[in-house]
């Protein structure tokens, strides 16, 4: 079993957060489907599909925030790993 270094884990987490953020922002930026019927003649199916679309946008925004927080945590891991290696080098010198 191989254990990754903290630096590698931080970089991997940062890359994952970038991918998640890209997917989430693409989902948020996607245009809403245009209604096929005028607003006065909409049935409950059309209205419920709009509610689902709004729910998808909301979950995409939540996912974007989660990806941002994952990225911030990954940066802290990278900084801690760098500081630790720097401290070890100073001790050895």
């Amino acid at each position: 079993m191989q254990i990754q270094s903290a630096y590698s884990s931080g970089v991997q987490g940062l890359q994952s957060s970038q991918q998640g953020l890209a997917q989430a922002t693409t989902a948020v930026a996607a245009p809403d489907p245009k209604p096929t019927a005028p607003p006065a003649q909409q049935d409950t199916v059309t209205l419920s599909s709009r509610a689902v679309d709004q729910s998808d946008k909301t979950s995409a925004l939540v996912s974007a925030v989660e990806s941002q927080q994952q990225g911030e945590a990954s940066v802290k891991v990278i900084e801690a790993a760098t500081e630790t290696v720097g401290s070890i080098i100073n001790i050895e010198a």
Side-chain angles (χ1 to χ4, degrees), residues 51-67:
V52 170
D53 290 339
Q54 186 64 30
S55 170
D56 291 343
K57 298 275 185 189
T58 303
S59 64
L61 285 170
V62 170
S63 178
V65 171
E66 289 173 350
S67 294

Side-chain angles (χ1 to χ4, degrees), residues 4-14 69-85:
Q4 290 184 345
S5 71
Y7 185 81
S8 296
S9 295
V11 170
Q12 186 177 15
L14 189 58
Q69 291 174 344
Q70 178 187 2
E72 291 171 358
S74 296
V75 167
K76 289 181 181 181
V77 169
I78 293 169
E79 289 173 346
T82 303
E83 288 175 10
T84 302
V85 170

Side-chain angles (χ1 to χ4, degrees), residues 15-90:
Q15 290 171 343
S16 174
S17 71
Q18 288 174 331
Q19 291 172 352
L21 188 58
Q23 290 175 351
T25 53
T26 301
V28 170
D32 291 330
K34 297 190 182 205
T36 56
Q41 297 176 349
Q42 289 181 344
D43 57 6
T44 56
V45 174
T46 305
L47 293 174
S48 66
S49 68
R50 278 191 163 181
V52 170
D53 290 339
Q54 186 64 30
S55 170
D56 291 343
K57 298 275 185 189
T58 303
S59 64
L61 285 170
V62 170
S63 178
V65 171
E66 289 173 350
S67 294
Q68 176 191 2
Q69 291 174 344
Q70 178 187 2
E72 291 171 358
S74 296
V75 167
K76 289 181 181 181
V77 169
I78 293 169
E79 289 173 346
T82 303
E83 288 175 10
T84 302
V85 170
S87 297
I88 292 172
I89 291 171
N90 288 338

